[in-house]
Amino acid sequence: MTAAQEDLVRADRPSEFTTIEAPRVEDGAAIWRIARDSEVLDLNSSYSYLLWCRDFAATSLVARDPDGEPVAFVTGYIRPDRPRALVVWQIAVDRAHRGRGLAGTLLDALTARVAGERGVREVETTVTPDNTASDRLFVAYAERHGLPLEREVLFDGALFPKESEGSEGSEGSEGSADGGPPAVPHQPEVLYRIGPLSI
């Protein structure tokens, strides 16, 4: 669910973003585009990003360039049945701003903020096995803060619908309804639990 492509190595050049702050509803379209262009995240509807900026702004952040445009984001929420757990839903950096450690900076800023304001003591996220950039981001976060990290499969791939499900002629693995290649099954979502935080 998270992507931090190429944003794992901190560069020595100065950062090109000026502020990190809570998202505004007007940021929803830009956040949707950054998520789409990541080519790794499960892309939600543009409407859902607008709602996210309205309803979960207190547990999300955007980084802005000098013109005030979003160049990176992290979205999260507090688990209703575990109010001391922050779930990081998505994190992504615009291609032009990758490789500067911005994903790690956003993750540090968000967890510090919600730990201070809401008493959060652990971070959860899910990562698919093929998303090595996100794996490295969250492993590095745990190491940087000296925190234990536990992993377990949260959602097996078989729980997800097939890409072509609901289309006529999409039975089995013969191919998609339009004659294209068969749907690729969703990989399992592995839960990463990091904490307890001491921020």
Side-chain angles (χ1 to χ4, degrees):
M1 288 199 142
T2 57
Q5 301 291 92
E6 304 169 26
D7 196 45
L8 303 165
V9 179
R10 295 185 183 272
D12 293 329
R13 55 189 181 263
S15 179
E16 295 176 18
F17 66 93
T18 56
T19 57
I20 293 179
E21 61 187 11
R24 300 184 297 258
V25 171
E26 303 82 50
D27 297 325
I31 290 172
W32 177 85
R33 280 191 293 276
I34 294 168
R36 178 199 62 198
D37 294 347
S38 75
E39 299 178 355
V40 176
L41 294 176
D42 285 341
L43 186 63
N44 299 296
S45 72
S46 57
Y47 178 70
S48 70
Y49 290 95
L50 293 171
L51 284 176
W52 203 281
C53 290
R54 184 192 74 169
D55 296 341
F56 297 102
T59 52
S60 301
L61 292 172
V62 294
R64 299 183 187 283
D65 68 13
D67 296 325
E69 292 299 314
V71 296
F73 73 90
V74 57
T75 55
Y77 64 91
I78 305 299
R79 278 187 59 187
D81 62 338
R82 242 178 128 117
R84 292 189 171 263
L86 169 70
V87 176
V88 176
W89 179 254
Q90 291 187 323
I91 185 166
V93 178
D94 181 80
R95 188 175 313 283
H97 297 271
R98 293 179 188 160
R100 298 180 178 105
L102 188 48
T105 299
L106 281 170
L107 190 55
D108 288 346
L110 180 61
T111 55
R113 177 177 158 192
V114 295
E117 293 177 1
R118 297 180 175 237
V120 164
R121 291 295 168 251
E122 67 183 17
V123 175
E124 293 183 356
T125 194
T126 62
V127 178
T128 55
D130 65 341
N131 193 339
T132 56
S134 287
D135 173 72
R136 290 192 309 256
L137 174 69
F138 286 96
V139 168
Y141 172 84
E143 290 173 352
R144 189 165 57 251
H145 294 281
L147 300 171
L149 184 152
E150 299 172 3
R151 294 180 186 98
E152 66 183 81
V153 173
L154 180 64
F155 299 123
D156 184 83
L159 294 172
F160 293 90
K162 294 180 178 144
E163 290 282 327
S164 59
E165 196 168 286
S167 302
E168 282 188 46
S170 61
E171 303 258 336
S173 60
E174 296 299 315
S176 67
D178 64 1
V184 176
H186 196 290
Q187 291 198 333
E189 291 285 349
V190 179
L191 174 67
Y192 286 46
R193 183 174 289 130
I194 303 169
L197 303 181
S198 57
I199 297 175

